[in-house]
Amino acid sequence: MPARFKDLALDARDHQALADWWCTAIGYARREDPGGQRPAEWPVPIHDPAGLGPLIWINPVPEEKAVKNRMHLDVWGVPEEFEALGARLLRRRGDDIDWHVMADPEGNEFCVFEEKR
């Protein structure tokens, strides 16, 4: 049997703050631990309250991000709204690409696709 997709994982130096940032940015919420309080040093699971998106684990790591991500998130949204939350625009949509390349507050790249109206 082939493997099946489970979750996404994103590394962060300040995993608590980055979990909150992504919750605000994409409308996710922290998934509460049914067994009680999750220790602050543990990874933080965030989820789509509507149940449409994948579970994302924000994992604590000691090192700063150093090179381009080999895997990243693609999201629907408005680049200016992400910038207002603290993201950086790395590359604007243009003739050669149909999306904006951005970085979250810790430098993790993600692509923003604007919905056609």
Side-chain angles (χ1 to χ4, degrees):
M1 172 175 88
R4 293 181 299 123
F5 180 81
K6 182 182 177 297
D7 302 326
L8 295 173
L10 186 62
D11 292 346
R13 296 251 315 138
D14 186 347
H15 67 294
Q16 297 291 337
L18 198 63
D20 290 338
W21 188 87
W22 276 105
C23 284
T24 300
I26 62 175
Y28 267 43
R30 288 174 177 246
R31 187 180 77 183
E32 298 304 320
D33 183 6
Q37 205 57 0
R38 182 181 305 279
E41 64 274 7
W42 285 14
V44 177
I46 62 174
H47 71 104
D48 178 356
L52 301 174
L55 181 69
I56 302 173
W57 288 89
I58 310 298
N59 298 316
V61 295
E63 70 277 357
E64 296 285 335
K65 182 179 170 302
V67 298
K68 182 183 179 302
N69 295 22
R70 294 293 299 262
M71 184 180 290
H72 63 268
L73 303 178
D74 284 350
V75 300
W76 295 107
V78 178
E80 294 78 15
E81 292 176 6
F82 286 105
E83 286 179 300
L85 294 173
R88 287 187 339 269
L89 179 65
L90 302 178
R91 185 173 177 200
R92 189 168 301 284
R93 181 184 71 193
D95 294 334
D96 57 337
I97 60 171
D98 196 29
W99 56 90
H100 303 273
V101 180
M102 302 194 77
D104 72 16
E106 289 213 8
N108 297 301
E109 295 93 0
F110 63 101
C111 293
V112 177
F113 291 79
E114 295 181 84
E115 294 190 63
K116 308 288 190 246
R117 298 185 206 274

